[in-house]
Amino acid sequence: MWLERLYRGYQHYWLPLALLLLLTGMFWVGDRSLYHKLYYLTLAAPTLLLLLCRPHRFAFLCSEPLFLLFVGFALYVMLSLNWSPAPIDYSKLKHPLYIGMLIVAVAALGESDMRRLVGVVALASLFAVLAALVTITAHFAGPLSGYRLEGVGALYNPLLTSHVYGFFAVVWLAALVASPRLWAIKLLLFLALVFLLFLTGSRTPFMALGVCTAWLVVMVSDRRVIWLALALGVTVAIGLWFFDSALLERGLSYRPLIWADAWRQILPALWFGHGYDAGIDIVIVSLNVLLADPHNLTLGVVYQTGLVGGAMWLAIYVYSLLSAWRLRGSGLVLISSTLLVFGFAAGMTEGGSFMSRPKEHWFLIWIPLAIHLAVLRKIKADRLRAEMAG
């Protein structure tokens, strides 16, 4: 049947290419709107079309608790539009659909051939190192070499740039701990990305890398910690040698004041929130600055969806990490769960837009979640087949 052949072509050939474009597009697409369109045309639309034409091929997701937790959260977020103070913007309904298609597509690729999914992430991570080297060279050769590195392509902000490169740094760090094979190459690739992170002047990725370190120590608790200690020791040496105390000069950047004001504005609508798409204005009087987000993704969730939505948001992470703990013997679980930990930790000090069109925050939230779901699904499916065969 031609629809079945179309699905197989999508699964085996189109999906790996579309995912590679999503993972690397921020580096080479100069216009952010083009990056959005690239995702819509290459991944979101084809996945939705195949989902409508061959729904039984995606039926396995209906038995995945992590997918159901996401669907429940997304539906509640969309429901909260009804009590948002602004008129309902129906275009916002597309945002969970974009994210849902990412999760469905990555799960479908992992279901058909996990090696291809791993290969795509590895190839994208290599491309990220190449992009980092080009960006570092352009930074030092440019007129703003004494300032914070902003990024090239669709990347333009030091902090947001650190989200994307931090994601790929964690891939190499976790891969180094998961297996000592080619350890020297993995370490060098990790350090190249770390050097770029230092140049952004952002402290968020290093705080998140510290949390990832604790997670990896808990997950492995054996001689593989040596590789982790080696990576972190060289990272600290680079930081002290090239940057000294530059990252600490800005202190806490008013984060406690921002969070306190955000919580004050959360309290009037504590249980159900102010509604998705409700704006927030946080004023730092001493700087005469107006901020439009709480600089904490979890607080952003609670502000818009209340404690109910916050509990659903945290349930996604609790289930993901508990599942990772139970399957911690897998190197793939080690990598995917560490990506999830990095994103959650980084989101504790930055951001507020948790459900959006494709952008840097996807590398903190939804891309790690999609990869982790695919890995959990594949390992559980393989174990079930092994038990049935035994």
Side-chain angles (χ1 to χ4, degrees):
M1 185 176 179
W2 70 271
L3 274 177
E4 188 62 24
R5 290 196 298 271
L6 179 65
Y7 175 79
R8 289 177 181 174
Y10 155 85
Q11 195 175 44
H12 294 292
Y13 303 107
W14 187 265
L15 266 184
L17 176 61
L19 183 58
L20 182 64
L21 294 177
L22 172 68
L23 292 174
T24 64
M26 297 294 290
F27 304 132
W28 51 268
V29 175
D31 190 308
R32 295 172 68 80
S33 65
L34 289 179
Y35 181 70
H36 298 156
K37 293 173 183 175
L38 179 72
Y39 171 73
Y40 303 152
L41 293 176
T42 61
L43 197 148
T47 300
L48 180 59
L49 178 63
L50 267 297
L51 180 62
L52 295 175
C53 293
R54 310 294 290 169
H56 66 281
R57 282 292 192 171
F58 303 92
F60 67 90
L61 284 168
C62 295
S63 62
E64 285 303 309
L66 186 53
F67 181 72
L68 297 179
L69 285 170
F70 162 74
V71 171
F73 175 69
L75 290 175
Y76 176 74
V77 170
M78 292 302 99
L79 180 64
S80 73
L81 280 170
N82 289 290
W83 56 84
S84 178
I88 296 180
D89 182 0
Y90 291 101
S91 67
K92 297 293 182 181
L93 296 174
K94 295 185 292 185
H95 292 174
L97 183 63
Y98 298 149
I99 297 167
M101 290 306 99
L102 167 69
I103 295 173
V104 168
V106 174
L109 180 57
E111 184 78 1
S112 66
D113 192 343
M114 179 56 68
R115 289 176 299 178
R116 292 196 184 207
L117 176 57
V118 172
V120 168
V121 175
L123 183 58
S125 300
L126 286 171
F127 191 94
V129 174
L130 178 61
L133 295 176
V134 171
T135 302
I136 292 170
T137 302
H139 175 71
F140 282 115
L144 301 178
S145 60
Y147 296 86
R148 297 173 65 183
L149 182 147
E150 295 182 348
V152 297
L155 298 169
Y156 66 95
N157 176 283
L159 180 57
L160 299 180
T161 297
S162 75
H163 294 344
V164 180
Y165 283 106
F167 169 92
F168 291 108
V170 171
V171 171
W172 292 118
L173 177 64
L176 175 64
V177 177
S179 170
R181 186 170 175 267
L182 301 175
W183 68 268
I185 295 176
K186 293 175 184 176
L187 180 61
L188 288 174
L189 296 175
F190 168 72
L191 293 177
L193 294 169
V194 163
F195 187 70
L196 182 142
L197 293 177
F198 274 118
L199 290 174
T200 65
S202 300
R203 294 155 299 171
T204 292
F206 294 103
M207 180 276 297
L209 282 172
V211 177
C212 289
T213 301
W215 173 253
L216 288 170
V217 168
V218 169
M219 286 285 279
V220 298
S221 298
D222 56 28
R223 67 180 63 183
R224 286 176 291 177
V225 174
I226 296 173
W227 304 109
L228 184 62
L230 176 62
L232 294 181
V234 178
T235 298
V236 171
I238 290 174
L240 293 176
W241 182 266
F242 289 100
F243 303 96
D244 197 13
S245 60
L247 291 179
L248 304 177
E249 291 175 352
R250 301 195 309 277
L252 297 177
S253 295
Y254 297 92
R255 289 298 193 274
L257 291 176
I258 296 170
W259 297 335
D261 193 41
W263 186 252
R264 178 186 62 80
Q265 297 185 54
I266 285 170
L267 290 176
L270 181 61
W271 288 103
F272 300 105
H274 295 274
Y276 181 56
D277 202 32
I280 186 172
D281 293 327
I282 297 175
V283 179
I284 302 179
V285 178
S286 60
L287 294 179
N288 195 27
V289 171
L290 179 67
L291 301 175
D293 70 68
H295 284 60
N296 184 305
L297 284 171
T298 300
L299 280 181
V301 171
V302 176
Y303 176 78
Q304 293 190 346
T305 66
L307 292 181
V308 173
M312 298 173 76
W313 167 265
L314 292 177
I316 292 174
Y317 285 95
V318 170
Y319 177 82
S320 297
L321 298 182
L322 286 177
S323 298
W325 174 254
R326 289 194 292 268
L327 301 173
R328 61 188 179 277
S330 166
L332 290 180
V333 169
L334 193 67
I335 296 171
S336 65
S337 64
T338 307
L339 287 171
L340 207 62
V341 168
F342 174 81
F344 183 78
M348 294 303 289
T349 61
E350 195 281 325
S353 178
F354 57 91
M355 191 166 283
S356 65
R357 294 180 295 175
K359 62 177 185 177
E360 294 87 350
H361 288 90
W362 276 34
F363 286 84
L364 297 184
I365 310 171
W366 305 119
I367 294 175
L369 181 68
I371 294 173
H372 191 56
L373 188 151
V375 169
L376 291 181
R377 162 67 190 177
K378 187 63 175 177
I379 292 176
K380 288 189 289 187
D382 287 347
R383 288 190 174 186
L384 180 61
R385 281 193 290 267
E387 290 174 1
M388 294 177 65

